Amino acid sequence: MNENPAPTPAPSAEQSAELAGLQGLHSAELTERYNASLMGVFGTPQRVLVRGSGCVVWDADGREYLDLLGGIAVNALGHAHPFLTSVVSSQLATLGHVSNFFTSPTQIALAEKLLDLARAPKGSKVFFANSGTEANEAAFKLARRNDGAGTPTPRRRIIALENAFHGRSMGALALTWKQAYREPFEPLPGGVEWVPAGDEEALRAAVDESVAAVFIEPIQGEAGVRGYPAGYLRAAREITRAAGALLIIDEVQTGIGRTGTWFASEGIEPDAITLAKGLGGGFPIGALVTFGERTSKLLSAGQHGTTFGGNPAATASALATLHVIESQGLLGHVRDMGQLLTAGLGKLDFVTEVRAHGLLVGFDLASPIAPAVVRAALEAGFIINSTGPASLRLAPPLIITADQLQGFIEALPGLYATAQEDHA
């Protein structure tokens, strides 16, 4: 696939006096200033990155890294993609933001495109937000509106899956399984219950006419890239439909080509899906897509909103991203690269399991040293992620090449050996 080999120039000092004061500083100095000025919710950053090109980024000290995480599945087209950059620059020079009192051609075109890609029936709609957690907040409110008003049984319960991650804002956090994330902020919005992921019988037992909605990630990314037994999503669709509950599919990490299809849930028609991450190719945007007239009318004028959501620049970025994925045949490329990773990782004797869904890949190690492997990889020029003591995750740009992936696979035994030494 095409890379973008031309280096991205650093911002000129003329852009602002504040930025000019940071030009030329090394990583240690910039990290010190970061820690002095930014809230510590992310800890100390691993590196200070200053530019990118294709699947490669550089830090403030000039060191080069192959980005195998893609901003956590965000940079679908890599860094500084020429077409995406051109489209966003042109849009910003024309009309960047208009508020929700108005609309724009790019907003309308993107909504129509998403409905088409999702094969949504007549009466389906789109709500634009700025992130995945905001899209899930909108979906949470959509679920609350499926309240069974006027029926003998009020719908007060929402079902989510164990090990689910839906975001960190209050509503999305209430759906997220990990207690360490939720506990400091309780009481959270109530009525959420969890059932074991992939257990059809547990889901069937939990869902009745008192359930407003079921939230499911088609692949649990934060849990280590874990899918479900064959037929689970179809069973979830049948179970929710029979009970009158909404089936809401969180495609924030898995959507927009990440798994080699537009949506990982293709083959079923949910009541709603949420999107973000790769949708904007790096520009912040999220979306809630509702299927059919009944679901789309649950939220009415004044019941939800956002100031920035769906602005011309963000929607132009998303349209450009979709265009490149289509025009360059990236869905097939993603499937091919996923197969390459599966085969290559599977040959390594210290890799015990590979879970590849296109270019969303999780794999387990024979020893619980995944964080040490991440550190060794970074020192060697690879950006990867650990989702557990023995689990690693890859979510590279969809334009990643076979040679780049092969280079990482060949380096991995040495990274594993270095991590073993450091761990010992």
Side-chain angles (χ1 to χ4, degrees):
M1 306 308 296
N2 291 333
E3 283 286 329
N4 174 25
T8 303
S12 63
E14 289 77 13
Q15 286 185 333
S16 71
E18 292 80 9
L19 185 57
L22 300 180
Q23 298 298 322
L25 296 184
H26 292 291
S27 291
E29 299 168 286
L30 290 167
T31 300
E32 182 179 357
R33 291 178 66 165
Y34 174 97
N35 288 331
S37 59
L38 278 92
M39 195 173 291
V41 294
F42 302 114
T44 299
Q46 299 174 54
R47 293 290 189 274
V48 179
L49 302 180
V50 296
R51 67 183 178 94
S53 177
C55 297
V56 178
V57 293
W58 287 265
D59 70 14
D61 298 326
R63 290 176 291 190
E64 178 180 313
Y65 305 87
L66 179 62
D67 184 0
L68 293 168
L69 192 57
I72 315 181
V74 168
N75 296 101
L77 305 181
H79 302 272
H81 190 280
F83 182 72
L84 180 62
T85 301
S86 173
V87 168
V88 173
S89 298
S90 176
Q91 185 61 54
L92 284 171
T94 305
L95 188 67
H97 176 72
V98 297
S99 91
N100 53 32
F101 291 134
F102 306 95
T103 189
S104 66
T106 56
Q107 185 182 76
I108 297 166
L110 180 59
E112 291 177 344
K113 183 65 175 178
L114 290 176
L115 293 173
D116 179 60
L117 292 175
R119 300 184 179 92
K122 184 178 179 180
S124 302
K125 304 289 183 180
V126 178
F127 169 80
F128 288 118
N130 307 288
S131 67
T133 196
E134 288 186 32
N136 283 331
E137 285 287 325
F140 195 107
K141 292 176 78 171
L142 183 80
R144 286 282 195 240
R145 293 291 295 136
N146 187 38
D147 57 7
T151 67
T153 306
R155 298 183 181 277
R156 304 296 189 204
R157 300 166 59 220
I158 294 176
I159 304 298
L161 302 187
E162 293 179 4
N163 299 311
F165 181 87
H166 295 288
R168 295 179 184 267
S169 56
M170 295 297 274
L173 185 60
L175 298 164
T176 294
W177 162 253
K178 194 172 182 179
Q179 181 64 20
Y181 291 162
R182 299 197 321 269
E183 191 172 43
F185 307 102
E186 293 175 342
L188 295 167
V192 180
E193 305 168 22
W194 290 270
V195 299
D199 187 332
E200 179 182 332
E201 293 310 311
L203 184 64
R204 194 176 297 277
V207 177
D208 58 23
E209 292 182 354
S210 67
V211 172
V214 175
F215 280 77
I216 297 178
E217 301 160 276
I219 301 160
Q220 293 187 322
E222 295 295 318
V225 189
R226 300 183 186 278
Y228 312 109
Y232 180 72
L233 290 181
R234 288 187 179 276
R237 174 67 287 184
E238 177 265 314
I239 290 166
T240 50
R241 181 174 284 128
L246 302 180
L247 177 61
I248 299 174
I249 302 293
D250 180 343
E251 293 259 17
V252 168
Q253 187 164 170
T254 56
I256 313 302
R258 173 57 51 186
T259 65
T261 57
W262 285 114
F263 309 102
S265 58
E266 284 187 6
I268 66 166
E269 184 181 292
D271 296 294
I273 59 175
T274 55
L275 301 167
K277 288 190 180 288
L279 177 59
F283 207 99
I285 187 170
L288 168 67
V289 181
T290 55
F291 288 69
E293 190 170 356
R294 177 189 172 275
T295 303
S296 299
K297 286 185 174 180
L298 288 174
L299 287 173
S300 58
Q303 291 188 333
H304 197 51
T306 171
T307 298
F308 292 99
N311 69 61
T315 49
S317 176
L319 284 168
T321 301
L322 297 178
H323 172 76
V324 172
I325 292 173
E326 283 188 314
S327 64
Q328 294 194 2
L330 288 181
L331 296 182
H333 177 71
V334 167
R335 294 192 292 271
D336 291 344
M337 294 303 97
Q339 291 173 3
L340 184 154
L341 279 168
T342 300
L345 293 171
K347 293 177 181 177
L348 302 176
D349 58 6
F350 55 87
V351 173
T352 60
E353 183 180 1
V354 181
R355 299 174 296 278
H357 303 267
L359 282 175
L360 182 60
V361 180
F363 60 101
D364 294 341
L365 306 174
S367 301
I369 58 170
V373 174
V374 171
R375 292 191 294 271
L378 194 61
E379 288 298 320
F382 300 100
I383 297 175
I384 61 176
N385 173 241
S386 169
T387 57
S391 297
L392 294 169
R393 173 175 53 172
L394 308 177
L398 306 187
I399 62 170
I400 193 86
T401 68
D403 287 344
Q404 288 172 323
L405 292 178
Q406 192 61 43
F408 169 70
I409 293 169
E410 291 172 0
L412 194 53
L415 304 178
Y416 187 76
T418 298
Q420 283 184 310
E421 294 173 4
D422 292 346
H423 190 72

